[in-house]
Amino acid sequence: EAGVAQSPRYKIIEKRQSVAFWCNPISGHATLYWYQQILGQGPKLLIQFQNNGVVDDSQLPKDRFSAERLKGVDSTLKIQPAKLEDSAVYLCASSLLATYQETQYFGPGTRLLVL
Amino acid sequence: GQQLNQSPQSMFIQEGEDVSMNCTSSSIFNTWLWYKQDPGEGPVLLIALYKAGELTSNGRLTAQFGITRKDSFLNISASIPSDVGIYFCAGQGGSQGNLIFGKGTKLSVKP
């Protein structure tokens, strides 16, 4: 079974530029999560989708971050404009359902460096 | 917001030694999870605990869900070089599956 796919794996941009990350979850997984992991920290949830609807985006900085999952499968996370403090690993995870006993499977992440 | 205190931050041990790390919270969680993250990869689930007091093993790993539901520990017995990595605890409090992660314990194993 294929795991969670993410691209690109690495991205370097200058501050104020825009960037987009793509995630393809495990086939059949209804729930998709985007996490931000700053160096030396654990992942922090940015947004959770159930199919193509947003379940929780309370920690998403909506002035610059946006995410969509239009057909309930792939998802994109965008930052516009980027700031220096956005340098982090952006992890995508998916689970079969959104209940608390469902295992979340993580992708390898996209490493973003903002200069 | 909810925070997890994970300790120790890092450990340097000799191959064959046992390892213990723990996580505490000021809030109650319904589920405690332990993940391992290798460099350049996403976290991988090691053990999931769903009931207060539960003690679960996965090979050389053993984890417990504290009775107060505010803490958990992970033990690794007879460490080997491939145990190197960062171990994260995570708690789930609500019904929607949202995870709160600790800051991680970086494990180094000397052959």
Side-chain angles (χ1 to χ4, degrees):
Chain A
E1 179 183 83
V4 177
Q6 290 188 248
S7 68
R9 292 296 307 272
Y10 305 91
K11 191 75 179 179
I12 301 174
I13 62 173
E14 294 188 349
K15 60 183 178 185
R16 291 189 288 273
Q17 284 187 325
S18 303
V19 65
F21 313 127
W22 173 82
C23 173
N24 181 232
I26 292 173
S27 177
H29 279 195
T31 309
L32 186 147
Y33 309 81
W34 283 102
Y35 289 85
Q36 180 192 56
Q37 185 176 22
I38 292 172
L39 187 65
Q41 306 279 325
K44 184 186 88 171
L45 180 70
L46 292 175
I47 189 167
Q48 177 186 350
F49 291 94
Q50 177 73 13
N51 296 308
N52 61 350
V54 175
V55 173
D56 183 356
D57 64 356
S58 57
Q59 297 196 81
L60 187 74
K62 298 180 189 62
D63 57 332
R64 298 183 300 106
F65 285 64
S66 64
E68 59 184 14
R69 194 183 183 201
L70 290 175
K71 295 183 180 177
V73 181
D74 294 3
S75 177
T76 55
L77 176 69
K78 295 179 183 176
I79 308 175
Q80 181 180 10
K83 292 186 175 181
L84 297 178
E85 59 261 35
D86 298 332
S87 294
V89 176
Y90 291 85
L91 294 162
C92 179
S94 71
S95 63
L96 203 54
L97 297 171
T99 57
Y100 75 100
Q101 288 201 7
E102 285 292 336
T103 299
Q104 292 186 27
Y105 297 89
F106 285 81
T110 295
R111 277 143 191 81
L112 173 67
L113 179 60
V114 182
L115 301 174
Chain B
Q2 292 174 310
Q3 286 189 339
L4 296 185
N5 297 309
Q6 187 172 348
S7 64
Q9 277 191 329
S10 61
M11 303 181 75
F12 294 84
I13 62 169
Q14 199 78 28
E15 184 177 358
E17 287 183 352
D18 296 345
V19 170
S20 186
M21 58 192 80
N22 69 82
C23 235
T24 59
S25 170
S26 56
S27 305
I28 288 173
F29 287 106
N30 296 325
T31 303
W32 280 96
L33 305 161
W34 286 92
Y35 284 84
K36 181 182 181 227
Q37 187 172 27
D38 291 327
E41 300 296 328
V44 173
L45 182 65
L46 299 173
I47 290 182
L49 302 156
Y50 300 114
K51 211 166 128 180
E54 181 181 353
L55 184 72
T56 297
S57 292
N58 178 8
R60 294 178 296 106
L61 276 60
T62 302
Q64 184 158 29
F65 190 145
I67 290 187
T68 64
R69 293 166 65 195
K70 292 183 178 181
D71 63 310
S72 177
F73 72 74
L74 174 71
N75 286 341
I76 305 173
S77 62
S79 57
I80 58 179
S82 61
D83 290 335
V84 165
I86 303 178
Y87 292 79
F88 289 98
C89 62
Q92 272 179 331
S95 60
Q96 294 296 332
N98 296 357
L99 296 178
I100 307 294
F101 281 84
K103 291 188 176 182
T105 295
K106 185 175 180 181
L107 179 64
S108 301
V109 179
K110 189 176 175 183

